Each structure stands twice: as C-alpha cells, then as structure tokens.
C-alpha cells in the first residue's frame, strides 16, 4: 500500500516523503518520552512530597509543546503531499488511460477505473494526514514505550514486547478472519440476490408462462438455504470480532500483573507501580486506534489497488517506424490475422488486402467479427497472431500519433461530446476551412438537422449527444469522420433501422467524399453495399467469400443469400392468415 | 463589532463576511409591502442560490444609536453574475428597524448584508402526494420560490394568512396544480383551524408564518393530521409584538415590548375565506376545489370530530421493523450493560492502583485482581452471546422480509418492473436487504455503545471529581467551535461538492464510453474531460486547502496526549495544594484521556442506524405498493375465446394524469390490429394493458367476454401471450426456456415450435443443443433470443397475442428469420401489434392511430389513406420524423 502511494508521488516531491517519515519517527519518540515522563511525575505526586512533581510537569509540558510543533509540521507535509497527489494523480491516470489498449477495458476494469478517475481525488487529499499519520504513529508509539519500559524493568519490557507482537498478530488474524467471513457472506448473499433478481427480471416471462409460483418457491428455497449459511457464517465472524478485543484485555492483564508482581517482590515502590499501570493503559491505546482505522485502510487499499492496476496496465512501447505511411490512400493488408478477447476467439487466420482508394464492404452474420476488423485497422487492438499492414508498415509498430493520423471512423454507437453540433464536427479537423465544414455537413445530411433547429449548428448536443436522436447523432459523426484528413475511412454501420436521410448520408459518405481514401464499411443493409468495389463475407471469424458484389451475387453463395433475405425483409408485412394456410412470405413488391 | 452584540461576534467567528448592498430602486408591491432591488457584486461569489434562500441584513438602529439589527429576507430574484437581487419587505406598524429603513430606502442607500447559514428548499427525491404550503405575506417570496421549483404535475395546497385586505395583491407564482386560500387572521389559531379536513397521507408540509400561528399550526399538522417530522418543515419567520431572540432568521420584529398583539381588524374576522385557483385551472380542478371547500365552520368543532390521521411512507420503516422492535430494545439494553461491563476493568484498575498506594495487603490485591479477570471474561462472553443472538434474530427476520418481498413481486403490476429498471430492483433486493441486516446485527448495538460509553465515563468522572471533569470539556468545546466554523464556511461547498461528484461521475463515464472516439479524433475530443477535471481539482483545492491549519488544530486538540496534559496541568497543582487526593487522578488518567475520541464517535455510531432505517423505509414502501387484485366476476355470457374488447379504457401512471383516454376497440380472432402513432402517443401502454402490465383506471378490458381483472394470472395468461422487444430468458436449458409455459411438452412439440420459429438450426449448433444451459444472454444474438421467445409463444399457443413489432432493433442479419417466425406465430390468432414502421402493417385488418392516448382514427390502410387524416400525414412523412423518433428510443 505504502509502496503504491510513494509511486504516485511525483519524483520531484520524494524529498517531502523522506522528511515526512523522519518527522513521524521524531514525533513518536517525543510522545513516547512524554508518556514515560508520567512515571517520575506520578511517582512524585503519589509520594509524600507531591511538590517534587512540578519540575516533571514542566518537562511534560515541554514535550507536549514539542509534539504539537512536530505534528503540526507532519500534518502540513502530509496535506501537502495529499494536495500534490490531488493535482497529479487524476491527470496522470487520464493520460495513462488513453494509451492503454482498448482490449484492457473489461466491464469490471472500466467500472473501477471510472470510479477512480472520477473520485479518487478527495480520498487522496486526506490519505496521508488522516490515515497514514495516525496509523504510523499508532504503530511506532507502543514500540517506543516498550523500549522505555525495557530500560525500566526487564520483566515489564518483556511483557510489553510480547503484547506488541501478540496484539499485532491478533490484529492481522482479525483482519484475515473478517475478510474471509465477509467474502463468504457476500458470496452467499449474492447467490441469493442473483436468484431474486432473476426472478424479478423475468417476471414477464414467468407470468406469461404461469410459472411464477414454482419460481417463487425456488427463490424462496434459496432464501431458506441462505439463512442456514448465514448462521454458520456468524460462527466464523464472531471470533474475528472478539479476538482483537480479547487480546487487548489479555495484554492489559499481563502488564498490570507484571507490575503487581514487581511490586509484591519489593522491586518497585507503590507510586512507581501505579504510574506504570497508567503507562500500560496508554501503551495499549494506540492499538484501539489501529483497529478503528482498519475499515478505512481496507477501502483505501482497494482504491490504491485500482490505481496500481491502471499504472501497471500495458501501454505499448512506442517505436518510431522507419517511414510512416504518407497522406495518400494506402494499401491495407491482413496477413494470417487472429484475434480474441480473452479466451473468446473472434478472428481466425484472416488474410486479404484492400487496394488503395477502393471501397470494401464487410458483410456477415452478427457476432462474426466484422467490427473487430475495423478495430484492428484503426489500431485499437493488436492482432494476437499475424500482421496488419498499412502500406507495408505493421500497425502495431506505428506510434499512436501516426496511427491516429491514418484513419477516420464512424462508430456504430456514435459518441458525441458535450458542446455544439459544429464543435463535434470540427473535432474531425479543428483547422478545417468553413467551406469544407459546410461540405461535409451537406454530405452527411447534417444540414437538414441544422436547418430544423432554432440554434442551427450552435445547438448544444447535450451530455453524450443525448439531445439528438440516434439517427441525428449518427449523421453528425459521419460529418466528423469525413472532415478528418485521414487516408483511411472506416464506417461501422448502425444495426438499427435508420431513416432515409441516414441511409443517404452513409451512401454519400462512400460515394461523394472528395478525398481519395481507402474505405471499409461494415454493412448490415444493401444500401451500404451498393457503393462497394469489393465484398468480404465473414462468418465465424473467417472470410468465406470475397469478390465484387456482382460476382458474389452471381455465385449464389452466402452473400447472394444475404442479399435475397434483405430484399425480402424490406417487403415484409405483418398480416392475418387463416390457420390452415401455409407460410406466407409476402414477396409481392410494393 | 459591539454594535451587533454577541450574535454578530459569533457569526464573524464562523467566518461570515460582510458585503455592501446598494439600493437600485424600490417599488410598492402592496401598500404594506415594498420590493427593494439592490446590487452587491461580491455577495454571490461563494453562494449557491436556491428556492427559499435568504440573506441576513444589518439595519441601523431607528433611534440613532450605533447598534445594528440583524433581519433575514428571502431572495425574490437574483442574478449571481452581476450581484443584482431583490427582496420584499413587509411594512409593519409600529415599525421596527427594517421597516423604518425600508420605508425610507432610496436608490444609492447602502446596507450591510451577508449570506450566512441560509437554507434552501430541495424537491424531495421521491415525490410526495402533494405539497401543503402554509405562510403569510412575509413568507410569500419563499413560497413563490418553492412553487416555481415544483414539477408541473405536483398538487399544491397553499394557505396564506391575510393580515390586510390588500395582501391578496401580492403576486403569487403560477402553477397548474396550485390551489390558494387566503385565511383572514383572527388570532393565533385561525390559520391552523383553516387547514382542510382531509386525508393528507404522503403529503409534504412546509410552513413559515408568524411564531404564534406556527405553534398552533405545528400542533395541528402533527396531532390532527399525523404529519411525521420527516415530512414537515416548520419555521417561524417573525413574531407578533416582540423580537425573536434567537440567531435564526427573523423576518421582522416590533419595537420591543410596545407593539400590540392585536392586529388591525378590518371586518374579515368572521372567518370567511377566499378561494382562488392559481394558474390554468382545469374544470376537474375547479370541481375538486369546490368539493374540498366544505369544511368545519369554526375552530371549536375542529378538535372534536375525530379523523383517522393519514399514513406516510416515511413511517413505513417503523411497521416493517415492528417484528424485531422488542428484540432491538432488548439488544440495546444488553449492549448498554455490555458496554458498562467493558468499562468496569478500568474502574477496577483504578481501585487496584489505589490499593497499591495505600499499601493494602496481598489478599485484597488478589481479590481485586480476580474481580478484574471475572469482569473481563463476563464482558467478552456477554458480548459474544449478544452477537450470536442478534444474528439468529436477524436471520429469521431477514428470511421473513425476503419472503414478503418475493410474494410482493409476484403481485405487483408488470409495469412496475418496466418502469423501474433492473438497477432499482437490484438496489432494493441486494443493497437494502444488506443494509437492513447491518441495522439489526450491528448498527443498533454500535449506536448504543457509542452513546453509553462516553456518558458512563462522564458520569463516573464527575462523580470522582467534578472540577477536574469540567476540564475535559475544554478541548471538546474548542473542537465543536472550530468544527462548526469550518462547516459554516464550507456550507454551500458541501452541496457543491456532491454536485461535482455526480458531474465527475457522468463526465468520466463519458470519457470511458468515448475512448474509441478520443483515440480516433485525439486532443479535441479528450479535452472536455480534462477541462472538467481541472476545474474539479481546482474546486477541491480551493475548498480544502484553507482548512489545513484548522484540521491540524482540531486533530491535535482532541488527541489523548492533549487530554493527558490538561489533566496533569490542572490536577498536579490541585494535588500539590492539597485540594485533591492524588489517587483521584487515577480514573482520569485511565479513562479521561480517550474521552474526546469516545464523544466524537457518537456521530459515527449513529450513522449506521440512519442508513439502516432509510433502507428499511425503501423496502417498506415497496411492500406497500398497490397490487393487482382479482376481483369477483359478475356472471357474464361467454363470448368467443379470442375476442378482445377495450371498453372505454382510461389509464394513467399517476392519479389525475391519464395517458390513455377513453379508448374503445374490438379485436376479432384471426385478425391483426396495429397500433400506430408518434412515440409518446401511448401505443405501448395500451398494448400493455391487455397483458395486464397495469390495471385500467376506468373502463374494462375483456377477453372472451370476461374482464381480465376477474381472472387470476394463470387464467389470463392461458389466453393472452406476448412477445416484446426485451426477450426474457430464464436460467435453464434451451428446452426449458421454450417449454416454460408447458413443461410437459414432448421433444417433438418443442422442436416443431423451434423449427417454426426458425431457431432449430441455431440451437443444434449450440454446444449441447437443446440441453445447452442459457445463463443470462447466453451468447445468443438479439434476433436469436427473440426467435427463442417466439418459439416459446408458439408452444404456449394462446388465442390472443400482444406483439411488439421490433424486428428493426436487433441484429439486421437475422431480421428476415425473425420476420418469418412472426408470420408463423400470428397465424390464426387475435393479434394486437405495436407498429414501429408503418409499411410493415399496411396489410393489417385494422390500423388504430393513437394520438396523446386517444384514438384519432381507425380503419384499413386503404380507408385511412383515402380519408386523408392523421394517418395519411404519418404515411407521407414516413421515413423522416416519426421513424427517427423511434430510433432514438
């Protein structure tokens, strides 16, 4: 935990960390001394001449003042480090995240990383001052006192050392037991929750199928089973909750017992014995602090683990290519490319090449790996086997800036950022001439949207573009992609049925784009295929057919079948039919 | 400073800052109320303004002394950018400092003002049944702020005390649901007596009046109508005849002691009332207003006719927790004892030390030591036993709650689930039940321990030596003051911080969702998040950095070492001078040093209880939701099985806000009826009514001549089946999923259904064919899941079918298969289809065009095109506007 923390501190501020550590030790020594001063102070006070205590009281006051001074400095440095972390960590994470390959972002990692990037700031500010400082001083103080007690009487010292070790061991065991018990409890609870949630989620299906009661009993049975588990877990949890308290009490008994025995042996005067009992209680206090800090430490540990995971995530090495591909439409080539997300193999041994300036449509059933092909060209993912070449250069060897310059893309779920429609289009090329912007807006049919809205192209698109409809977002994102001066254009067509303007926008992006580019479109409908020079038919991660659209249609294979289904689907109508009729596919044209 | 007395000093200490406001212009709202427009450019720098926010003004003393009087006024309008704002000042007779100043105020006049400790009204997260607002001219600005903040569908009952005839001239905010009643003041009780006799269940009450009226009002609301504390806000804005002596907001005072408590009588003391309907009142509202106007004549009779007080959601937790109430009380008491037992060793230790000092014999020492050990053991044992027992109690209680919850889920309308989304259900089932478990097993004992321990220590130490015990309060008081000052200074920042947290949550979600776009389009796309992050960090820095010193100070003050030093510094001279015995110091040294930490733990300990009670309330609210009921059937002649009739059906998700208006339709067996219309026209809602997602508010839906409300669920769903967009698969094999409604179906039947649904081939390609276990989405595409549910519907073979024609929304590559499956499914049934694309239903036997929940027209495609109505327009604009609206869903 501390190692991660130190790593997060910028190198220029490491000196502060050293200063902080030193002062924390000084503070613990001063406090230990202050505590041990109680022995002569109380000894004098309980003796026949209480006035002898006054100089010792002065000494105590001096030590308290020193502790205040040192701790004020410790706290300031602690907050200083905290604010440094606040200022740098979230920024660094943000930069780091944009370099990690997209494949790293599983749903789980995305969720935790999102939380960390958005909200770790406030936690980091107080981390050192509110958590680390009390924790360190609570560990160091008993050690200092134990050393002092050893000097006073070895029996007492021995008891103190045993107490330190025993209590820390108990604390460790408690944490382990509690963590295990919590994990088991969470598992049991979530198993039940799973059942109940499914029961709630599928109410429509269950009711329609008249299966509500049996399923309810199933979920109910799970609830009963969980009740048994929960009771067993209590027996696991209780030792964890009692162990540390018990250890503390045993330690107190041991220390008080040692003092009493020393007194009875005559090795210790009554006043000193009493003073030592008080010191023993003070000696144990920090352990309570540690146990109270435990939950907060667990939570911070979780955050720091997330941060470390992000910092340790692979960011591909940047090796400048000998000659980066130029601005002209390049040749794109796949050589025996394989790719998978985790254990799921998506692409198997894919080989094809796209000639400069051509338009290729990728077609195939859903889940066949079509979009992954685009991601590999764009460099979002790296092929796990084989090579993806752009003008002969391996994409994975290009530096991010070059990769970014090479391609432009229309995403299937177009994502717009807060700002105006114009801002979002300009994201494609902030330096574009107004005439160029107007042209791409016209091609992508954004002019139709802008003309309809009272604020025109100054209309705010809302958070994530929510103020626009799905089709409108799609068109803005087409304009954005067209504006970018990239020699490769990748289009991932939306799966949902779009309106005529959108189909036109996609078609014009392919056919009337003035720039010479190598274009690839993942097409779900005939409209997107009409302007393609070539078709790749992909199924189960492999190319099953490729050629010109006309060739493939004539061949009567999978592509031809796909076209036939599309045409039928466009004319499909829902209608009543007599029960005895055969299947009616209503092929009659409109 | 002296001019403002103690109040001023306290506020200054808390960091309140003075600003100078300059009068811009004044205007009379009524003869008794003046609106003063002012400007204070720096005032709103660190303030977030919301409804009912107020400012504190320091008015000069009318007698000419250098004293300043603090009065608070609600903002009527405000431009934080420029610092321009306005307040309404009620002119009282005889005049206090504010009235005197306001009467004479002219452009250019200056007055000191601060924005300190102002509270804001926030619309409750869960909307109440209505808002009961009670006020008088002085609180109208606040009330206008509230009314403006409320959503349009809120019902608002506003009672205003009329002190002058002209008061009714005060402009009120308009709102469609607002009902206003002016009540002429006739002493302190008249306003409270005027509140309608009705069931105020789940209403929220906000009252701000003169202190005397408020006292009666508060009592009426609580005792008579049953308003719980959580749903009531009551605040005195001013007092008749004397100054309000508190630091709280005071709208106006009278010159102390000389103002008569009698108000100018103007003949309205007879109790007649004016009823005014605010905003655009519909006829329905007028009718309701008239009805409710029947009220008890005078205050005397009010107290007698007994009415059942209403029920509030906020009280639901109490009912849910009733079964464990006794156990909780016992646990609290036992935990109290355990806490005391756990403190006892320290007392014994002090005793042991005392014995050592007086040189007691060995036997007594051993006796005390044994007692010490026994108490230790007893404490540990008792604590452990309590924990086990609580877990047993909780296991039983938790099982019961879950059982009730399951039973409830079965009887809730299906629409309850679709309207909530899985996240809310998950929160309820997972988080809230866990929180409830925490409440029973941990929160209550922890809370009791947190309170009992410091109190017991305090009592013990006071009993030992009260003088020394008092010293312990010094750090506590210093802490409280420093902490309060910090809280006051960061008051608005706290709300701002939570808004920032929410905003950053959304921003980072966008940052992650937009990663591909950021990587593709680079810097410009990413900069939005960077910008937000920079300002967030800037905000946190600006907020927290100034507190470093104070936080450090607070930490040092409450340390055990500080307490130890204080005890010794005060105790040593006492012992030296012989005022106190030395041994008296021992309890303080053993227990007093951690007293501060214990006391500060109270707040923390109670936090768990609060969270648990909130969770209990959420669960209880769900348990109290309205259920689908099976009503007794009137003997009706059976019609043909598949005939469906909507008879004058109306329905709304909220009372009084119908979504479906008086719809009548007949669906015949073997025909397809299509519902078309723009999104929001109610077509999905209407289709859902046939599947009993909700019960109709009026009219009836019948299947085969029987009202569907007279059928049990099983009865209804043997007749009515449905296939919607979200294909729901249950955990189980493919076979079980298809045969869900007919578990006894043969393999042949199941495979025929699968073939007809065009999914058989796909199933055979799954790892285990029909025996493949589907977990969640099971690796099937949207179209495949849809076909699986079609197979299920085919096997269930219901005569009536409700359908969502949503083939366009998933998986275009297998769209044609879904279409074929649907064609097969609809054959020979009574079909009601929600149509998204007009061209797919042109062959339907009946097309029903819905508009705002009413049937605009109905007929075949040819008829509707010929009639040239709404359908014709939809058809002509096909592909642009309506289709787009659907895509955006």
């Amino acid at each position: 935990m501390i190692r991660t923390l130190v790593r997060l501190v910028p190198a220029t501020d490491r000196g502060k960390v050293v200063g902080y550590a030193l002062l924390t030790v000084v503070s613990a020594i001063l406090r230990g001394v202050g505590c041990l001063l109680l022995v002569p102070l109380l000894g004098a006070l309980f003796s026949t001449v209480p006035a002898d205590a006054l100089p010792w009281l002065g000494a105590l006051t001096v030590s308290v003042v020193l502790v205040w001074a040192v701790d004020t400095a410790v706290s300031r440095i602690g907050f200083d480090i905290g604010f440094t972390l606040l200022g740098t960590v979230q920024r660094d994470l943000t930069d780091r995240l944009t370099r990690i390959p997209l494949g790293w972002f599983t749903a789980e990692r995305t969720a935790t990383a999102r939380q960390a990037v958005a909200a770790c700031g406030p936690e980091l500010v107080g981390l050192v001052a509110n958590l680390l400082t009390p924790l360190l001083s609570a560990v160091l103080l008993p050690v200092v006192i134990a050393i002092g007690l050893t000097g006073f009487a070895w029996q007492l010292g021995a008891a103190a050392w045993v107490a330190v070790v025993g209590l820390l061991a108990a604390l460790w065991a408690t944490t382990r037991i509690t963590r295990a018990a919590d994990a088991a409890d969470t598992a049991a609870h979530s198993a039940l929750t799973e059942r109940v949630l499914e029961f709630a989620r599928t109410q429509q299906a269950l009711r329609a199928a008249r299966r509500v009661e049996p399923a309810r009993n199933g979920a109910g049975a799970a609830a009963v089973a969980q009740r048994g588990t929960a009771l067993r877990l209590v027996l696991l949890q209780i030792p964890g909750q009692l162990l540390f308290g018990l250890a503390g009490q045993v330690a107190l008994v041991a220390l008080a017992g040692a003092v009493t025995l020393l007194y009875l042996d005559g090795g210790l005067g009554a006043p000193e014995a009493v003073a030592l009992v008080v010191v023993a209680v003070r000696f144990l206090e920090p352990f309570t602090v540690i146990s109270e800090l435990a939950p907060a430490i667990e939570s911070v540990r979780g955050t720091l683990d997330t941060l470390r995971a992000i910092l340790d995530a692979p960011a591909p090495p940047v090796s400048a290519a000998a000659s980066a591909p130029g601005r002209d439409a390049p040749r794109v080539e796949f050589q025996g490319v394989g790719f998978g997300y985790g254990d799921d193999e998506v692409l198997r041994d894919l080989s094809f090449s796209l000639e400069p300036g051509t338009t290729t449509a990728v077609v195939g059933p859903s889940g066949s790996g079509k979009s992954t092909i685009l991601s590999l060209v764009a460099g979002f993912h790296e092929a796990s086997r084989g090579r993806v070449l752009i003008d002969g250069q391996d994409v994975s060897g290009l530096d991010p800036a070059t990769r970014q310059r090479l391609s432009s893309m229309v995403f299937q779920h177009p994502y717009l950022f807060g700002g105006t429609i114009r801002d979002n289009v300009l994201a494609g090329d902030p330096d574009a001439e107004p005439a160029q912007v107007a042209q791409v807006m016209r091609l992508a049919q954004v002019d139709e949207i802008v003309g309809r809205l009272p604020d025109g192209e100054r209309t705010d698109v809302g958070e994530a573009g929510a103020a626009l409809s799905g089709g409108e977002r799609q068109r803005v994102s087409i304009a954005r992609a067209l504006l970018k001066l990239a020699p490769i254009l990748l289009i991932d067509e939306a799966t949902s049925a779009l309106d005529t303007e959108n189909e036109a926008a996609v078609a014009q992006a392919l056919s009337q784009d003035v720039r010479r580019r190598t274009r690839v479109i993942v097409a779900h409908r005939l409209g997107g295929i009409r302007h393609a020079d070539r078709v790749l038919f992909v199924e189960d991660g492999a190319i099953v057919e490729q050629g010109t659209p006309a060739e493939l249609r004539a061949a009567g294979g999978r592509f031809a079948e796909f076209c036939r289904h599309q045409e039928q689907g466009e004319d499909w109508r829902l209608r009543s039919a007599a029960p005895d009729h055969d299947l009616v596919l209503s092929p009659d044209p409109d | 400073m002296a001019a403002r007395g103690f109040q001023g000093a306290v506020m200054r200490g808390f960091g309140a800052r003075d600003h100078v406001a300059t009068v811009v212009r004044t205007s009379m709202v009524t003869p008794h109320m003046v609106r003063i427009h002012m400007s204070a450019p720096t005032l709103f720098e660190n303030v977030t303004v919301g409804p009912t926010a107020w400012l504190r003004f320091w008015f000069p003393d009318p007698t000419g002394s250098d004293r300043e009087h603090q009065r608070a006024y609600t903002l009527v309008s405000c431009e934080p950018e420029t610092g321009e704002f306005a307040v309404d000042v009620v002119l009282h007779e005889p005049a206090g400092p504010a009235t005197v100043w306001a009467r004479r105020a002219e452009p250019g006049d200056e007055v000191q003002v601060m924005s300190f400790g102002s509270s804001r009204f926030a619309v409750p997260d869960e909307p109440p049944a209505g808002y009961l607002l009670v006020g008088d001219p002085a609180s109208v600005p606040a009330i206008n702020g509230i009314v403006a903040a409320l959503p349009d569908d809120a019902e608002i009952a506003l009672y205003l005390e009329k002190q002058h005839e002209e008061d009714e001239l005060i402009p009120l905010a308009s709102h469609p649901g607002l009902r206003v009643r002016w009540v002429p003041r006739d002493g302190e009780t008249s306003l409270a007596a005027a509140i309608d006799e009705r069931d105020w269940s789940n209403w929220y009450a906000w009252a701000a009046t003169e202190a005397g009226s408020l006292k009666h009002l508060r009592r009426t609301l609580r005792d008579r109508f049953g308003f719980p504390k959580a749903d009531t806000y009551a605040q005195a804005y001013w007092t008749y005849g004397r100054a309000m002596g508190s630091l709280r907001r005071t709208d106006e005072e009278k010159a102390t002691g000389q103002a008569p408590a009698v108000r100018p009588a103007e003949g309205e003391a007879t109790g007649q009332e004016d009823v005014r309907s605010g905003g655009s009142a519909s006829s329905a509202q007028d009718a309701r207003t008239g009805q409710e106007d029947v009220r008890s004549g005078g205050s005397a009779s009010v107290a007698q006719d007994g009415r059942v007080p209403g029920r509030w959601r906020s009280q639901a937790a109490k009912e849910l927790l009733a079964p464990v109430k006794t156990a909780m009380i016992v646990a609290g008491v036992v935990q109290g004892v355990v806490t005391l037992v756990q403190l006892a060793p320290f007392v014994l230790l002090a005793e042991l030390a005392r014995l050592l000092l007086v040189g007691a014999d060995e036997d007594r020492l051993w006796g005390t030591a044994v007692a010490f050990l026994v108490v230790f053991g007893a404490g540990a044992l008792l604590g452990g036993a309590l924990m086990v027992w609580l877990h047993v109690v909780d296991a039983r209680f938790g099982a019961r709650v879950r059982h009730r919850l399951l039973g409830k889920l079965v009887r809730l309308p299906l629409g309850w689930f679709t309207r909530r989304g899985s996240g809310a259900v998950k929160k309820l089932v997972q988080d809230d039940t866990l929180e409830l478990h925490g409440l029973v097993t941990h929160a209550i004992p922890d809370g009791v321990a947190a309170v009992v321990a410091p109190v017991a220590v305090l009592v013990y130490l006071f009993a030992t030596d009260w003088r020394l015990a008092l010293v312990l309060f010094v750090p506590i008081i210093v802490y409280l003051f420093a902490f309060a000052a910090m809280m006051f200074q960061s008051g608005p920042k706290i709300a701002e911080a939570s808004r920032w947290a929410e905003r950053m949550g959304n921003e980072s979600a966008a940052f992650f969702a937009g990663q591909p776009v950021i990587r593709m389009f680079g810097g410009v796309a990413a900069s939005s998040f960077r910008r937000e992050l920079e300002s967030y960090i800037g905000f946190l820095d600006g907020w927290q950095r100034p507190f470093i010193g104070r936080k450090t100070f607070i930490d040092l003050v409450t340390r055990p070492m500080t307490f130890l030093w204080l005890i010794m510094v005060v105790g040593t001279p006492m012992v030296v001078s012989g005022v106190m015995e030395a041994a008296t110091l021992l309890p303080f040294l053993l227990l007093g040093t951690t007293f501060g930490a214990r006391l500060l733990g109270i707040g923390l300990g109670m936090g768990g209880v609060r969270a648990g009670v909130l969770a209990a309330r959420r669960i209880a609210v769900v348990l109290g939701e309205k259920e689908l009921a099976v009503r007794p059937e009137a003997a009706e002649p059976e019609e043909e099985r598949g005939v469906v009739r909507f008879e004058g059906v109306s329905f709304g998700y909220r009372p009084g806000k119908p979504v479906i208006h008086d719809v009548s339709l007949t669906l015949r067996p073997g025909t397809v009826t299509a519902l078309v219309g723009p999104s929001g026209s109610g077509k999905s809602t209407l289709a859902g009514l046939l599947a009993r997602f909700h019960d109709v508010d009026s009219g009836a839906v019948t299947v085969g001549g029987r009202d569907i409300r007279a059928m049990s669920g099983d009865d209804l769903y043997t007749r009515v089946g449905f296939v919607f967009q979200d294909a729901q698969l249950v955990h189980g094999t493919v076979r079980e999923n298809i045969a869900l409604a007919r578990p006894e179906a043969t393999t042949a039947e199941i495979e025929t259904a699968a073939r007809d649904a065009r999914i058989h081939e796909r199933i055979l390609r799954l790892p285990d064919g029909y025996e493949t276990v589907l977990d969640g989405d099971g690796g099937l595409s949207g179209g495949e899941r849809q076909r699986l549910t079609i197979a299920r519907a085919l096997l269930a073979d219901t005569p009536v079918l409700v359908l969502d024609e949503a083939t366009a929304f998933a998986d275009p590559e297998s769209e044609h298969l879904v279409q074929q499956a649907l064609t097969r499914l609809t054959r020979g049934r009574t079909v009601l289809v929600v149509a998204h694309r007009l061209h797919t239903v042109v062959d339907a036997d009946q097309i029903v065009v819905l508009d705002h929940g009413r049937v605009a027209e109905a007929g075949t495609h040819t008829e509707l095109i010929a009639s040239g109505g709404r359908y014709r327009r939809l058809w002509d604009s096909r592909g642009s506007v309506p289709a787009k609206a659907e895509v955006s869903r």
Side-chain angles (χ1 to χ4, degrees), chain B residues 130-136 143 156-162 179-185 187-201 203-209 212-227 231-234 271-275 289 291-305 307 309-310 312:
Chain B
Y131 296 84
L132 171 62
L133 310 179
V134 191
D136 59 21
I143 287 170
I156 309 169
L158 171 58
Y159 293 81
L160 289 169
E161 193 170 67
K162 185 161 71 173
R179 194 171 56 85
V180 184
R181 180 179 299 173
W182 284 93
V183 183
R185 181 174 169 99
E188 292 184 342
T189 57
S190 56
L191 188 58
I195 307 294
D196 262 330
E197 279 297 314
R198 54 163 285 181
D199 180 6
W200 292 101
S201 293
W203 278 61
Y204 175 82
W206 187 96
T209 62
S213 294
L214 190 79
K215 193 176 69 192
H216 293 276
L217 202 54
R218 213 194 276 261
R219 195 178 303 147
T220 304
L221 291 179
R222 184 188 59 214
D223 298 344
R224 184 153 181 70
F225 300 123
F227 274 92
D231 296 279
T232 314
Y233 174 91
Q272 78 210 33
E273 293 176 4
D274 310 287
V275 177
T289 309
Q291 214 173 25
E292 283 175 358
D293 206 20
V294 181
R295 42 159 237 111
S296 51
S299 53
S301 67
V302 171
Q304 276 156 24
D305 61 336
R307 270 191 69 143
W312 273 260

Side-chain angles (χ1 to χ4, degrees), chain B residues 736-749:
Chain B
E736 284 163 357
N737 262 287
I738 295 177
L740 196 63
R742 284 184 50 204
E744 77 288 354
T746 65
T747 302
E749 284 174 318

Side-chain angles (χ1 to χ4, degrees), chain A residues 506-529:
Chain A
V506 171
Q508 292 182 18
L510 289 172
S511 61
Q512 293 182 34
D513 181 10
V514 287
R515 231 173 286 283
R516 194 174 118 84
R517 317 191 207 232
T518 307
R519 301 185 187 84
V520 187
I521 176 171
V522 167
H524 304 290
R525 269 170 216 86
L526 293 176
I529 295 163

Side-chain angles (χ1 to χ4, degrees), chain A residues 71 75 91 95 97 100 198 201 207 241 285 407 415 484 499 524 565 572 574-576 581 583, chain B residues 387 409 412 510 519-520 522 530 534 552 559 593 728 731 740 758 813 816 823 827 840 843 845 879:
Chain A
D71 279 359
S75 171
R91 260 175 242 165
D95 289 343
L97 280 168
I100 298 173
E198 188 199 271
R201 186 173 54 79
R207 286 193 202 183
Q241 291 174 5
E285 261 167 24
S407 45
Y415 198 91
K484 187 172 170 182
D499 45 64
H524 304 290
H565 286 152
W572 176 78
L574 194 60
R575 56 164 57 156
S576 57
H581 267 223
L583 196 61
Chain B
M387 211 176 293
L409 293 180
L412 285 170
R519 285 159 196 237
M520 183 55 67
R530 290 295 300 260
E534 292 302 321
T552 306
R559 287 230 181 125
T593 52
Q728 293 185 343
H731 182 90
L740 196 63
R758 300 288 183 274
E813 282 78 15
H816 67 286
T823 304
R827 220 194 303 170
T840 58
D843 288 343
D845 303 275

Side-chain angles (χ1 to χ4, degrees), chain B residues 272-530:
Chain B
Q272 78 210 33
E273 293 176 4
D274 310 287
V275 177
R276 197 169 78 184
S277 200
S280 58
S282 71
S283 56
Q285 270 164 340
D286 283 343
R288 195 175 58 222
T289 309
Q291 214 173 25
E292 283 175 358
D293 206 20
V294 181
R295 42 159 237 111
S296 51
S299 53
S301 67
V302 171
Q304 276 156 24
D305 61 336
R307 270 191 69 143
V308 187
R311 286 162 56 89
W312 273 260
R313 282 190 293 246
S314 54
Q315 296 166 320
K318 212 184 285 176
E319 290 157 29
L320 180 76
L321 293 171
V324 282
K325 191 178 167 192
T326 320
M328 290 290 90
I329 292 172
V330 173
V333 172
V334 174
Q335 179 61 51
V337 173
V338 169
T339 309
L340 292 180
V341 171
Q342 281 167 348
L343 286 174
F346 293 98
V347 178
L348 285 172
L349 208 56
E351 181 57 26
L352 188 72
R354 188 196 302 274
L355 290 177
L356 283 175
L357 283 177
V358 299
D361 57 54
E362 215 169 302
D363 284 350
R364 283 197 65 190
L365 284 180
W366 281 120
T368 311
V370 168
F372 183 76
L373 286 173
V374 167
V375 171
F376 260 158
L381 258 172
L382 204 53
L386 176 66
M387 211 176 293
V388 173
W389 178 66
L390 274 178
H391 276 84
V392 172
V393 168
D394 172 65
R396 198 176 305 142
F397 174 63
R400 204 182 129 131
V401 168
R402 274 186 279 264
H403 183 77
R404 282 179 66 190
L405 216 45
L406 281 177
K408 188 72 192 186
L409 293 180
V410 173
R411 289 188 300 272
L412 285 170
L414 280 174
W416 186 89
F417 297 92
T418 46
R419 273 168 67 77
R420 244 163 212 80
S422 57
V425 178
K426 183 169 168 158
K427 179 161 172 40
L428 184 75
V429 172
Q430 186 165 19
D431 304 346
D432 287 346
T433 55
L434 205 59
E435 200 78 65
L436 201 59
H437 163 79
L439 175 70
V440 176
T441 54
H442 298 292
I444 299 231
D446 288 357
V448 168
V451 174
V452 169
V455 170
V457 167
L458 200 63
V459 169
Y460 173 55
L461 294 182
F462 261 92
T464 308
D465 190 297
W466 65 270
R467 295 161 301 187
L468 201 49
L470 278 180
V471 172
L472 299 181
F473 280 100
V474 173
I476 298 294
I477 288 168
V478 171
Y479 165 83
L480 287 179
F481 194 80
F483 188 74
M486 212 158 77
M487 292 307 283
F488 269 112
Q489 280 168 23
S490 59
K493 296 277 175 94
I494 293 170
E496 207 180 325
S498 74
R499 270 196 303 278
W500 261 114
E502 193 181 326
R503 185 150 129 212
M504 286 313 293
N506 293 337
E507 284 289 336
S508 75
F511 178 71
F512 277 86
Q515 270 303 308
V517 182
I518 289 172
R519 285 159 196 237
M520 183 55 67
F521 296 101
V524 183
S527 59
S528 146
F529 179 69
R530 290 295 300 260

